[in-house]
Amino acid sequence: MASGYKQIEEKWQKRWQAERLQISEADERPKFMIIFAYPGVTGYLHVGHMRGYTYADAISRFKRMDGHNVLFPVGTHATGNGAISLASRVASRDPDTVDYLLRNGCPEESLKLLETPEGVVDFFNDVYVNDYWKRFGFLCDWRRFTSSIRPDYNRFIQWQFRKLMDEGLLIQKPYYAPACVECGPVAVDASETDLSKGGNAEINEYTLLKFRCGDEYLIAATLRPETVFGQTNFWVNPEVEYVRVKVDGEIWVLSEPASRKLVHQIDDVDIMDKIPGRDLLGRMCEAPMIKREIPVLPALFCDPNVGTGLVTSVPSDAPDDLIALRQLQRDPEWMRSLGMDPSIADIEVISIIDIDGYGPCAAADIVDRLGIEDGNDPRLLEAKKQVYKDGHHQGRMNSNCGAYQGLKVEEAKLRMRDDMLNSGEARMFYDLSEEVVCRCGKPVMIRRVDDQWFIDYGDADLTSRTKEHCRTMDIFPTEYHNNVQGVLDWFRERACVRQGNWLGTRFPFDDNWIIEAISDSTLYPVYYLISPYANDGRILPEHMTESFFDFVILGKGESADVSKETGVSEEVLVRIRDDITYWYPLDLNLGGKEHMTVHFPAFLFNHQAIMPEHGLPRGIFVNWYITGKKGKISKSKGGAQPIPGAAEKFGVDSLRLYYSHVASPFADVEWDEDIVVSYRLRIEKVMRMVDELRTLDGEEEGVADFWILSRLSRHIQSTRAHMDSFDLRQLANVVYFDIPNDLRWYLRRGGRCKSTARTVIDSWLRMMCPITPHSAEEAWESFGGEGLISNADYPVSMGTDASSELAESYLRDVLEDINEIVRVTGMAPTKLHLYTAPEWKSKVSEMAVLMAREGNLSIPALTKSAMQDEAVRVHGKAASEFAKKTAQDTMRRSPAELERLSAPMDENSLLQQAKSFIEDEFGCNVAVHSADSESIHDPQSKAKAAAPLRPAIYLE
RNA sequence: GCGAGGGUUGCCGAGCCUGGUCAAAGGCGACAGACUCAAGAUCUGUUCCUGUAGGGGUUCGCCGGUUCGAAUCCGGCCCCUCGCACCA
């Protein structure tokens, strides 16, 4: 069976191609332009990635059927070093890499191609387009395909940056970034594309504190500059050899590794000589800010690779310092052996920060609470984290902290740091939290970049204009519509260029820089309107000058002038310009949730900065992920299998329906093959039902036909309404679940009408087409539908028939009641009596509904007006009881329900009509009585229980 | 810690904005019956507790409040997930 899918899929994909369905050209129709955020070319994708892409295709197919001229272009983002590093791993035939490639279906002979970055990009561009998107039946305009490292794209990006410069949004300032001492800038990230070690490292911002000690300075590195008022002593590791370096005419003492890092961050650092830690012990040094002399004491925990290898001691708030100090005080022999007088360690802890839930010295508190005595106790790390966290967020500087008293720790930290920086007592120093090693084997360090370019997303005017525009956009989920306002505020300057091993566009103002990945993927949707002309050679990269883009994108200048300058024919220029005015703005940009705080804000800002008002994007749709158990797509469950393999195994339409329906797009879903299989079964079931409908050959239309046609119209209306907010899940729910359920009822009710069946099939298949186009085409063909269903119109409601829908739901209610009685009594009835309510009860109900709608329904009011009616009053006590009950019931109804209750219905004739149906259902004779009639058969006097819309039932 | 999202009946997952038709859609699973030589498929019924007459009872993380009425609105709490931050 599974192989059958592939044939059908290929058959229809070829037909679509042959009939040029995917070609989008401007015309008279309203347009709809949709993209998904193009993926980075980083290797093979897994089945989870297809979720968002599938939404985009299904939405675009719906829009196409709904009368829009749809443009759905795709491309890839190759900027960065992913391809470079993959190529180098292939070139060296790294076994893991080769295995990964082959396992995912890479032909052995392609490995050669993958040895260059360009080869990697070409190869995967092909995989994405053919094995993923075309394989899934997407109707994309493939002529427009582009990739961010193509020369024409590069020209576009350079233009974008010139525009940003014109707007004053490119700024330069110093920046501290990781770099290999040999290869230059590298990316420190968990995937370790550039690295052989340390991908999880973070950049720590240390404050270097200078302690005057004779004519030199001991340099301590701290992450907590706000604790200087608690300094009691200085720690040096007696077993480490430190170095003296000359900085700005001063002599600094710090660890040798620190000195090697420092040269990348501070100019003119001269390394002079070495000095054993022992030689520093016992000296006094002057602590910064507080200008107090404190002693230099020995501690083995000072690591030369962390910070400067020298530590200032704040035992009140640093558990390490406290433990070291206590150990020292317990062990005078060690001090003597180092030639020191133990009394020098008689030190009082100074309390500086008040934290709720802690005593005056947080470090002592937590260390004592946990019973930590030894510096090697593994719990010390935990204690440290806890104290820092609590101190940082809840702490307040106390009366020992001079001018900073009363400040929150968070605030004091920045102020005290800045004050010390200004007074020359401190310098900044950046370091990685763990050892990071480049692929080349050399260490990675933080390097100061003086002239780093940034895009100034912090610009107040740009931010407020962008926020304003976002309020007018369609942004889904609606939570993000609100949230994006905050995200835009939070977005600040972003380093937009980098040096080193990196694929991308050269920075137009300085050839040494290459534009980084987030910055060259913001305005690109508009480039899909130019790319086809570049792809077929009508324009060449060298034609793409500033005035070219100014003309086609911004409409600046005259076509004749631009033609003369660029050498592009006027006709082509005008056509591109016309295309852009027709297709832009982008109607929907669809991307995964990771884009919410990265790509979408940049996308919005760049459009706002560069494009005129009418070019600003109209919509954003964010989709969540398909995950595996515990966050990874599990190999054993097959999720990690290649996408083409999943397509083969389950069928493309099954996967498309799975993505569309399995959950709200705004929630992560755990991948589970069994669920995909159940969607495959669902499609099969639906198709069987279509087949069954096709065999119907009845001539007459009956109540069931009126009913199903009304239901169909209702479903058409509701799916159209749902798709206004791109709610594919609701569409899928109606088409693949609600409609089959209704059809089951139709058949059960004896519906056999050929013309009804044809109407239903015709509409129903069209409704399937956005999500399961291959199956829909196949069934459409068997049905004898005209042309391609993918090219057909989405059905239009023929109008609903409320009374027939009410009648059927009434009948279902009656059936349900009978059923329940049968079940509860355990009877197998031989005869079934139904008694509809007498006329006078209907009168009372009508009165109640009327009074409720006018808002003056109450028990006495209803009773009173009911009793004024002669026909009611003759029923005496029964009448007043019924009025009371009816009033109570009706008062609780919502307006919508009152509406329903007020619709007229002849229950008796309805039941008479359905008599044979009910007889078939229960396999017994049915008699329908009106409680009004005289001398009815009613041995257990059930008839008196009859109420409007609730006939009494008696089983024999 | 900040920001965002979430906790619904065996499971998945609607509902919550716009309170009443909600014991709460739909699917899956399970059970029973029909069809069938049989299996599968299909159809029907059941699937919180309870009930030999269509009823009653207790539910939607926990506690409280508003209301004639709360899964839905308000306040507090607990837990989970994700960003960001923090951490010599």
Side-chain angles (χ1 to χ4, degrees):
Chain A
M1 189 69 200
S3 63
Y5 291 123
K6 194 168 184 182
Q7 283 174 13
I8 292 174
E9 287 155 7
E10 282 175 358
K11 167 181 165 188
W12 293 108
Q13 287 165 11
K14 276 188 193 137
R15 287 282 302 278
W16 298 332
Q17 199 80 8
E19 305 209 11
R20 298 169 58 84
L21 249 61
Q22 77 288 2
I23 302 287
S24 305
E25 291 292 357
D27 63 22
E28 302 309 311
R29 289 174 291 169
K31 64 89 188 182
F32 185 81
M33 182 174 174
I34 177 173
I35 62 158
F36 53 75
Y38 57 8
V41 190
T42 50
Y44 289 97
L45 301 179
H46 63 68
V47 285
H49 292 111
M50 293 305 294
R51 186 185 198 188
Y53 308 155
T54 297
Y55 286 149
D57 184 63
I59 290 169
S60 75
R61 280 173 172 273
F62 175 84
K63 284 289 179 185
R64 171 190 302 273
M65 297 180 77
D66 188 32
H68 289 80
N69 188 13
V70 171
L71 174 56
F72 175 25
V74 289
T76 60
H77 190 219
T79 308
N81 53 13
I84 296 173
S85 100
L86 183 59
S88 77
R89 275 177 285 150
V90 173
S92 66
R93 288 297 184 272
D94 170 60
D96 288 348
T97 306
V98 170
D99 178 55
Y100 155 82
L101 290 168
L102 297 180
R103 207 174 54 233
N104 276 283
C106 172
E108 192 121 23
E109 59 272 21
S110 294
L111 289 178
K112 190 79 196 144
L113 171 68
L114 292 169
E115 288 177 13
T116 65
E118 292 73 20
V120 167
V121 174
D122 287 345
F123 177 83
F124 281 106
N125 280 346
D126 187 64
V127 167
Y128 288 16
V129 168
N130 292 304
D131 295 354
Y132 301 164
W133 301 330
K134 285 189 177 169
R135 185 77 180 78
F136 267 63
F138 290 5
L139 294 182
C140 300
D141 192 341
W142 309 108
R143 301 172 306 163
R144 298 171 188 269
F145 179 87
T146 194
S147 183
S148 67
I149 58 167
R150 293 191 175 177
D152 52 313
Y153 188 98
N154 295 158
R155 302 289 289 216
F156 167 66
I157 297 303
Q158 291 186 328
W159 172 79
Q160 177 196 341
F161 274 75
R162 285 197 201 95
K163 296 300 113 179
L164 290 173
M165 184 66 103
D166 291 348
E167 295 295 321
L169 291 168
L170 293 180
I171 55 175
Q172 270 183 303
K173 62 178 188 179
Y175 184 60
Y176 292 84
C180 166
V181 294
E182 200 83 351
C183 313
V186 291
V188 175
D189 75 320
S191 58
E192 299 195 343
T193 43
D194 284 0
L195 310 175
S196 63
K197 190 180 172 191
N200 291 315
E202 290 172 43
I203 298 174
N204 284 327
E205 260 187 35
Y206 289 100
T207 306
L208 295 185
L209 298 177
K210 291 155 68 175
F211 291 74
R212 180 186 290 280
C213 184
D215 52 4
E216 56 195 14
Y217 291 93
L218 306 183
I219 308 297
T222 182
L223 290 167
R224 303 197 68 196
E226 77 280 13
T227 61
V228 289
F229 280 94
Q231 297 175 107
T232 57
N233 60 287
F234 197 89
W235 296 119
V236 166
N237 191 333
E239 295 174 5
V240 168
E241 199 168 51
Y242 293 88
V243 295
R244 288 196 175 91
V245 299
K246 199 165 199 171
V247 177
D248 292 344
E250 297 171 350
I251 295 167
W252 290 10
V253 177
L254 35 67
S255 74
E256 196 269 334
S259 73
R260 280 189 276 115
K261 295 170 188 167
L262 208 59
V263 298
H264 298 288
Q265 297 180 28
I266 296 180
D267 293 333
D268 304 322
V269 174
D270 293 325
I271 297 175
M272 299 164 65
D273 58 347
K274 299 191 172 172
I275 172 169
R278 283 188 75 133
D279 292 0
L280 296 167
L281 296 177
R283 292 165 70 173
M284 298 297 283
C285 58
E286 186 190 75
M289 174 80 73
I290 56 175
K291 305 289 181 203
R292 197 158 56 219
E293 291 282 325
I294 57 174
V296 177
L297 300 179
L300 296 175
F301 77 89
C302 300
D303 181 341
N305 291 305
V306 176
T308 54
L310 295 170
V311 175
T312 180
S313 172
V314 185
S316 58
D317 289 86
D320 275 333
D321 295 342
L322 184 74
I323 294 292
L325 186 60
R326 286 180 176 176
Q327 280 187 318
L328 199 62
Q329 289 168 345
R330 277 202 307 271
D331 191 2
E333 281 313 308
W334 186 45
M335 288 189 69
R336 283 197 197 94
S337 75
L338 292 166
M340 300 173 70
D341 175 359
S343 69
I344 195 173
D346 290 345
I347 282 170
E348 285 289 316
V349 175
I350 303 167
S351 164
I352 50 169
I353 297 174
D354 295 334
I355 312 172
D356 281 348
Y358 287 90
C361 297
D365 241 40
I366 192 142
V367 159
D368 293 343
R369 211 182 300 156
L370 296 173
I372 300 171
E373 296 184 352
D374 184 74
N376 296 317
D377 192 321
R379 291 173 304 163
L380 193 54
L381 186 69
E382 204 42 52
K384 199 156 60 178
K385 280 191 171 178
Q386 194 60 45
V387 167
Y388 287 153
K389 194 174 184 175
D390 292 342
H392 184 262
H393 297 295
Q394 301 164 33
R396 235 169 234 288
M397 310 311 294
N398 73 13
S399 57
N400 287 330
C401 299
Y404 305 94
Q405 180 186 348
L407 285 182
K408 283 184 178 169
V409 167
E410 276 182 281
E411 264 176 86
K413 174 181 242 154
L414 297 177
R415 280 224 225 158
M416 292 167 79
R417 185 193 71 189
D418 292 345
D419 289 349
M420 287 189 283
L421 288 173
N422 288 333
S423 67
E425 293 167 291
R427 289 285 286 257
M428 291 309 292
F429 172 61
Y430 298 83
D431 196 11
L432 291 154
S433 60
E434 58 184 273
E435 188 185 12
V436 180
V437 180
C438 180
R439 286 227 155 259
C440 75
K442 301 282 185 195
V444 170
M445 296 182 179
I446 302 300
R447 190 156 84 186
R448 192 190 69 208
V449 183
D450 279 323
D451 48 359
Q452 173 69 45
W453 285 95
F454 293 80
I455 299 176
D456 186 11
Y457 293 121
D459 184 87
D461 177 56
L462 179 64
T463 302
S464 79
R465 282 188 293 130
T466 308
K467 286 169 68 179
E468 197 53 44
H469 174 70
C470 281
R471 292 201 184 89
T472 72
M473 290 176 67
D474 291 326
I475 298 180
F476 302 98
T478 48
E479 286 80 4
Y480 186 54
H481 186 256
N482 301 327
N483 204 217
V484 75
Q485 299 284 327
V487 173
L488 293 170
D489 272 330
W490 165 84
F491 225 64
R492 294 273 166 244
E493 302 93 351
R494 183 179 179 94
C496 62
V497 293
R498 51 170 289 159
Q499 290 169 325
N501 219 7
W502 192 259
L503 295 181
T505 302
R506 297 254 163 221
F507 190 56
F509 305 101
D510 185 344
D511 243 14
N512 294 319
W513 294 95
I514 294 175
I515 293 162
E516 64 80 47
I518 301 304
S519 306
D520 77 348
S521 56
T522 59
L523 201 64
Y524 73 95
V526 75
Y527 190 69
Y528 286 127
L529 305 175
I530 301 172
S531 58
Y533 298 88
N535 289 347
D536 67 14
R538 271 179 288 177
I539 45 174
L540 300 172
E542 52 267 36
H543 294 145
M544 302 167 106
T545 62
E546 181 161 6
S547 52
F548 167 80
F549 286 113
D550 279 353
F551 177 75
V552 297
I553 297 180
L554 302 177
K556 283 189 192 164
E558 296 301 323
S559 54
D561 301 341
V562 178
S563 174
K564 198 176 287 175
E565 185 205 305
T566 60
V568 181
S569 78
E570 233 181 305
E571 186 214 333
V572 168
L573 285 172
V574 169
R575 259 195 83 182
I576 300 175
R577 174 66 193 151
D578 287 349
D579 281 356
I580 289 177
T581 28
Y582 176 76
W583 290 111
Y584 234 59
L586 182 66
D587 293 281
L588 198 65
N589 185 356
L590 196 145
K593 65 175 178 180
E594 79 276 18
H595 294 309
M596 286 196 289
T597 52
V598 185
H599 164 250
F600 287 135
F603 157 77
L604 292 163
F605 276 131
N606 277 279
H607 274 80
Q608 190 76 48
I610 295 171
M611 300 301 284
E613 187 69 27
H614 57 266
L616 300 179
R618 295 292 337 134
I620 286 177
F621 189 101
V622 186
N623 69 277
W624 267 238
Y625 304 145
I626 305 284
T627 65
K629 309 233 184 255
K630 287 176 194 151
K632 280 188 181 171
I633 298 261
S634 133
K635 282 177 189 156
S636 62
K637 286 290 255 182
Q641 72 183 282
I643 290 169
E648 178 96 31
K649 185 168 181 181
F650 305 109
V652 164
D653 282 354
S654 310
L655 287 162
R656 291 177 59 112
L657 179 58
Y658 164 76
Y659 295 129
S660 304
H661 185 261
V662 68
S664 154
F666 317 126
D668 289 334
V669 173
E670 209 172 80
W671 172 259
D672 183 341
E673 287 203 355
D674 294 344
I675 304 216
V676 182
V677 169
S678 80
Y679 280 104
R680 184 175 74 195
L681 295 173
R682 171 57 52 168
I683 294 174
E684 288 171 4
K685 195 170 180 172
V686 161
M687 287 309 161
R688 268 196 305 273
M689 195 162 237
V690 173
D691 286 341
E692 189 180 349
L693 288 179
R694 275 216 325 262
T695 66
L696 300 186
D697 57 2
E699 296 295 331
E700 280 189 35
E701 284 192 347
V703 283
D705 296 286
F706 302 138
W707 177 81
I708 191 71
L709 292 173
S710 175
R711 294 291 296 170
L712 182 66
S713 281
R714 191 169 296 283
H715 290 315
I716 291 168
Q717 286 170 6
S718 86
T719 51
R720 282 179 168 278
H722 288 307
M723 285 307 285
D724 284 346
S725 51
F726 310 115
D727 195 338
L728 279 174
R729 182 168 208 268
Q730 290 295 340
L731 174 75
N733 211 46
V734 168
V735 173
Y736 301 89
F737 296 92
D738 293 347
I739 292 181
N741 283 347
D742 281 350
L743 284 168
R744 220 157 60 201
W745 177 253
Y746 171 74
L747 294 170
R748 191 172 163 191
R749 285 286 274 125
R752 295 291 179 274
C753 178
K754 183 171 184 170
S755 70
T756 300
R758 290 198 64 85
T759 306
V760 170
I761 295 173
D762 183 272
S763 291
W764 193 20
L765 290 177
R766 292 166 193 254
M767 295 168 87
M768 292 178 202
C769 194
I771 295 177
T772 54
H774 308 92
S775 324
E777 290 285 7
E778 189 69 13
W780 185 250
E781 187 182 48
S782 318
F783 172 62
E786 214 179 295
L788 289 169
I789 196 170
S790 297
N791 218 10
D793 289 336
Y794 198 81
V796 178
S797 163
M798 297 153 290
T800 55
D801 172 1
S803 72
S804 87
E805 289 192 45
L806 278 173
E808 291 303 307
S809 88
Y810 167 77
L811 187 60
R812 282 189 184 197
D813 288 346
V814 172
L815 242 50
E816 219 168 88
D817 277 351
I818 301 171
N819 232 317
E820 185 166 3
I821 297 168
V822 169
R823 181 167 48 85
V824 170
T825 61
M827 291 170 74
T830 55
K831 176 122 193 192
L832 208 159
H833 300 270
L834 297 172
Y835 311 89
T836 54
E839 182 60 27
W840 67 269
K841 286 190 180 173
S842 304
K843 268 191 181 168
V844 175
S845 290
E846 280 163 30
M847 284 180 199
V849 170
L850 206 69
M851 292 169 85
R853 295 175 106 183
E854 284 168 4
N856 52 16
L857 176 63
S858 68
I859 297 173
L862 180 63
T863 312
K864 192 176 164 196
S865 65
M867 289 314 210
Q868 276 167 3
D869 189 308
E870 180 59 29
V872 176
R873 191 171 57 223
V874 295
H875 296 279
K877 192 158 182 246
S880 65
E881 268 170 21
F882 182 74
K884 181 182 170 191
K885 192 167 172 294
T886 304
Q888 279 174 339
D889 282 357
T890 313
M891 279 191 291
R892 265 193 257 130
R893 306 294 181 179
S894 62
E897 222 184 343
L898 291 173
E899 184 74 27
R900 192 171 67 90
L901 290 173
S902 63
M905 190 184 319
D906 182 349
E907 295 180 46
N908 203 274
S909 71
L910 225 145
L911 291 174
Q912 293 288 0
Q913 267 179 4
K915 198 174 124 176
S916 66
F917 168 65
I918 303 174
E919 287 178 337
D920 289 347
E921 287 287 310
F922 292 95
C924 66
N925 282 322
V926 172
V928 180
H929 315 276
S930 164
D932 277 327
S933 5
E934 306 283 317
S935 66
I936 46 172
H937 176 78
D938 183 20
Q940 287 191 13
S941 48
K942 295 288 185 193
K944 65 177 193 300
L949 297 178
R950 199 95 205 265
I953 298 162
Y954 171 55
L955 267 51
E956 286 185 325

